[in-house]
């Protein structure tokens, strides 16, 4: 906004309108600051939620999971969990879920 005001000299007749519009825009687009700690905590929460849902789906479809599968799931990235969740739709076995890309 300051840059625009510096570059363009508005006529007095539209200056008040411009000020009102800029104030409205600033109020509408104000973003809440999220610290890096909060952002990481939110990402971790999303990943934990994805893992939890995937575990429920896998247990429902294939029965109780063995320790190796559980470890693989707990060590997976959020992107990998998402791919495996998609694999559930086509895979016939747990091994297929965890290997298909």
């Amino acid at each position: 906004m300051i840059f625009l005001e510096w570059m363009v000299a508005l006529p007095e007749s539209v200056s008040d309108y411009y000020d009102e519009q800029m104030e409205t825009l600033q109020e509408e687009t104000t973003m809440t600051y999220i610290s890096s700690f909060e952002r990481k905590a939110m990402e971790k929460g999303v990943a934990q939620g994805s893992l939890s849902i995937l575990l429920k789906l896998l247990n429902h479809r294939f029965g109780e999971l063995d320790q190796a599968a559980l470890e693989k799931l707990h060590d997976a990235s959020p992107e990998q969990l998402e791919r495996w969740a998609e694999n559930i739709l086509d895979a016939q076995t747990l091994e297929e879920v965890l290997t298909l890309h």
Side-chain angles (χ1 to χ4, degrees), residues 9-86:
L10 294 175
E12 194 67 34
S13 60
V14 295
S15 182
D16 289 339
Y17 175 77
Y18 169 79
D19 291 341
E20 289 173 13
Q21 294 301 313
M22 289 306 296
E23 187 175 320
T24 300
L25 180 63
Q26 287 176 338
E27 289 173 1
E28 291 174 356
T29 59
T30 300
M31 296 179 64
T32 304
Y33 174 75
I34 298 175
S35 70
S36 60
F37 176 77
E38 291 171 312
R39 183 179 39 78
K40 288 178 184 177
M42 288 173 21
E43 289 170 358
K44 186 175 181 178
V46 169
Q48 288 288 50
S50 297
L51 175 60
S52 177
I53 291 171
L54 184 55
L55 286 169
K56 287 179 184 181
L57 292 171
L58 291 171
N59 279 311
H60 180 78
R61 178 130 187 232
F62 302 111
E64 190 172 335
L65 305 180
D66 63 25
Q67 190 61 35
L70 291 172
E71 288 176 10
K72 189 170 186 176
L73 288 159
H74 284 282
D75 292 340
S77 68
E79 294 79 17
Q80 186 64 60
L81 293 173
E82 187 175 321
R83 280 194 297 274
W84 290 340
E86 292 172 357

